[in-house]
Amino acid sequence: MKAMTELQLEDRHRQFIEKMALEMAKTAPKSKENASMHQTHLVDQRKTGGLKKALKPLQFHLTYEKGDGAYLYDVDGNKYIDIASDNGVNLFGHQPAFIKEAIVNRLDKGYPLVGYTEELTQVTKLFSELTGHERVLLTQSGTEAVMWAVRIARAATQKKKIVIFEGAFHGLSDAVLAAKDQFGNSIAMGLGMLQEFADELIVLDYGNMDHLNVIEERADEIAGVLVEPVQSRNPANQPIEFLKEVRKLTLESGVLLIMDEMITGFRACCNGVQGLWKIKGDLATYGKIPAGGMPSGMIAGPAKYMNFVDGGVFDYDDNSMPSVKKALMAGTHTRNPIKLAATLAILTEIKKRCSASGKDACEPNACFLQDLNEKTMLMCEELNSFFVMKRVPIVIEYFSSLFRFRFLDDPNGVVKELLMILMRMNGVETSPSGNCFLTVVHSDKDIKAIIKAIKQSADTLLKEGFFYESDTAEEDDAQEEVQAATPARADKTNKPVQEPKKDDQMEKLRDLIVSDLKNFQEKGVMI
C-alpha cells in the first residue's frame, strides 16, 4: 500500500476532510478561535510545522487549560492522553506533587537571581553523582548548553572545526546548524543564517565507518565531535560500534567528544546512553527531564575542560586565584532558584528510585526506567505488527521511551498529518515535532487506549481511501523498506540495534529520513 499525496486527493477525500473539520470545530471551538484571533500579535513558528493547505482547517493548536499526570485538558473540556510529554520533558507526567511542592516552597522564600541559594550547590553535587561527570554548568536552555559546550571545546583545543552528523538536532544556535549538499559541503540551513558559520562545521553520516577517515585526516583542525548518541529524529539507528570508534579516535587525536543527551539523558537510564553503552564523552549536554519543566540546560564534564568557564577552583583564604583563562559565558537566569528547586526535586526523585533497587549507583540492567522502556518497546512492536498486517507504509521507530512515526513513502505528507489529527480526535495528543514519549505515569490502561486510538485512526484512513494499492514492483520495494526500517527486537530493552550496513535497505530510505533536515527552511526547526 502507498499513502495518497496532497496532489492525489480526490473529491471524496476532500469531503471527508471537510467533515472532520466540522467535527473539530464543534469539539474544540474555543481552541480554534484562540488559534485564529491571536495571530496578529503572537509570533509562533510551530504553527507552521507540518501545515498542509488541504488540512489547514484541522491544524490549529489546542489551548490547554491544564495538564495533570498523563493527561491534557483543553479549554473546551476535552481530555487527551498526552504522548507529546512536552517534547520529552515530563518523565514523571504533568505537575507531579514533589515538583509542585518544591516550587511552591521556593516561591514562598522569593527567587533572587544574582547570588547563590542552597539549591545551587545541592543540584550540582547530585547531578555530578548521577551522571559521573566532575563539574556542572547550568544554562538557560538546551540550545545555550550546546552552544557553550562548543565554545568550551574551541577554547580548550584552540581549534575551530566542529563535526556534526546529518539527521541530528542540537538546538537553534548558528554554531551547530548546517546541512550537507550533494557534494558533501556544509551549507547554511535557512534565512538569516550565515554561510560563514556553516563553513566551520563538518557534516558526516552517523554510523558510516568510512567517514571516520575524515575525522582522522582533519583532526588538527577539529575542536570537537558533537553527537546525539541516539538521534531523536532517527531512533532506530543505534550504531554503538561506530560510536565506540569515534570515542577511540577522538581520544587518540586530541579532539573533544561532546555527547548531546538533551533527550536521552535520564531517559535511556539514569546516566543516559553514556552509562548504558559505557561510552563517556569529554563534555555532555542535558536539559528537558532534569529541569523539571523549567527552562534550563546543563553542561557537564571534567574540571580540565569546565575550568575554561570559571577559571577553576581556588580558595578564598589564601593566595590562590583562577588558573585558567576564561571563555565568556553568562546569563541572568542560569541559576534561577525556581528552576533549581524543580531540578533538585527531580534529581532527588531519580536517586530515590535508583536506591530502591539496593544499588549505590545506577546499573542499566537494573535501572528503574527499564520497566518503562520495555512497555514502550512492547507497545511499538504491537503497532508495527498491526501496520504490517494492514500493509500500510508506516513504521514506529523507538529507543527507550522515545518513539516516532515514520511514513516510508511520503514522510512529511498529508496522510501523516491526518493520522496525527485522527489520533487527537480519538483522544491522544501528539507533538508537531514528531517525537512521542511514554512516561512513568502512563498506566497499562492508558497504553491500551493509545494502541486502540492509533489502530482506529489507521483503519479510518484505510476505509476512506487514503492508502491505495501500488503495483507489484512498488509493493515489493515497500515491503523490503518496512522490514529494513522496523527496529529489531532486542534481548534486552535497550540493547542497541546493530549498525546498518552500508549497502542494506536502510540506505534506500536515506533521502526520506534526511528530508526532516531539508524541510527546515520551509517548516521551521522544532525540538
Side-chain angles (χ1 to χ4, degrees), residues 344-358:
L344 181 59
I346 283 281
L347 297 179
T348 301
E349 180 69 16
I350 289 173
K351 182 180 179 181
K352 182 176 74 173
R353 296 197 183 210
C354 285
S355 301
S357 65

Side-chain angles (χ1 to χ4, degrees), residues 166-315:
E166 199 164 9
F169 180 69
H170 300 292
L172 294 167
S173 167
D174 288 12
V176 292
L177 271 176
K180 185 172 64 171
D181 66 17
Q182 59 182 327
F183 305 108
N185 300 311
S186 301
I187 56 173
M189 302 236 351
L191 294 174
M193 301 177 66
L194 302 181
Q195 182 60 36
E196 288 85 347
F197 286 101
D199 289 340
E200 300 302 334
L201 299 172
I202 301 170
V203 186
L204 304 179
D205 294 337
Y206 193 45
N208 187 337
M209 287 290 190
D210 292 342
H211 283 199
L212 294 176
N213 294 332
V214 177
I215 300 174
E216 185 174 15
E217 292 167 2
R218 303 184 65 178
D220 60 345
E221 57 180 327
I222 296 174
V225 174
L226 176 60
V227 58
E228 264 188 300
V230 176
Q231 295 179 345
S232 62
R233 284 170 169 75
N234 190 19
N237 185 18
Q238 300 161 32
I240 183 170
E241 295 304 323
F242 174 81
L243 192 56
K244 285 180 178 178
E245 289 299 314
V246 171
R247 173 69 288 189
K248 179 182 177 182
L249 181 57
T250 52
L251 286 171
E252 292 172 349
S253 305
V255 174
L256 270 65
L257 176 60
I258 307 169
M259 297 284 255
D260 185 353
E261 295 234 46
M262 207 62 59
I263 287 180
T264 55
F266 302 94
R267 181 173 297 281
C269 80
C270 293
N271 50 7
V273 177
Q274 293 173 91
L276 186 69
W277 291 357
K278 307 300 182 187
I279 307 172
K280 191 173 183 180
D282 297 300
L283 298 172
T285 59
Y286 303 85
K288 298 189 184 296
I289 287 173
M294 298 293 106
S296 187
M298 300 88 176
I299 311 170
K304 66 178 180 179
Y305 298 129
M306 300 305 292
N307 289 353
F308 281 95
V309 178
D310 63 3
V313 177
F314 61 91
D315 196 309

Side-chain angles (χ1 to χ4, degrees), residues 116-146:
Y116 288 1
T117 55
E118 289 187 355
E119 293 96 337
L120 180 61
T121 53
Q122 293 171 322
V123 162
T124 52
K125 183 176 184 297
L126 187 50
F127 197 96
S128 292
E129 179 184 333
L130 290 170
T131 62
H133 289 285
E134 190 176 359
R135 302 193 73 197
V136 183
L137 170 67
L138 296 164
T139 69
Q140 299 173 120
S141 69
T143 288
E144 195 172 80
V146 174

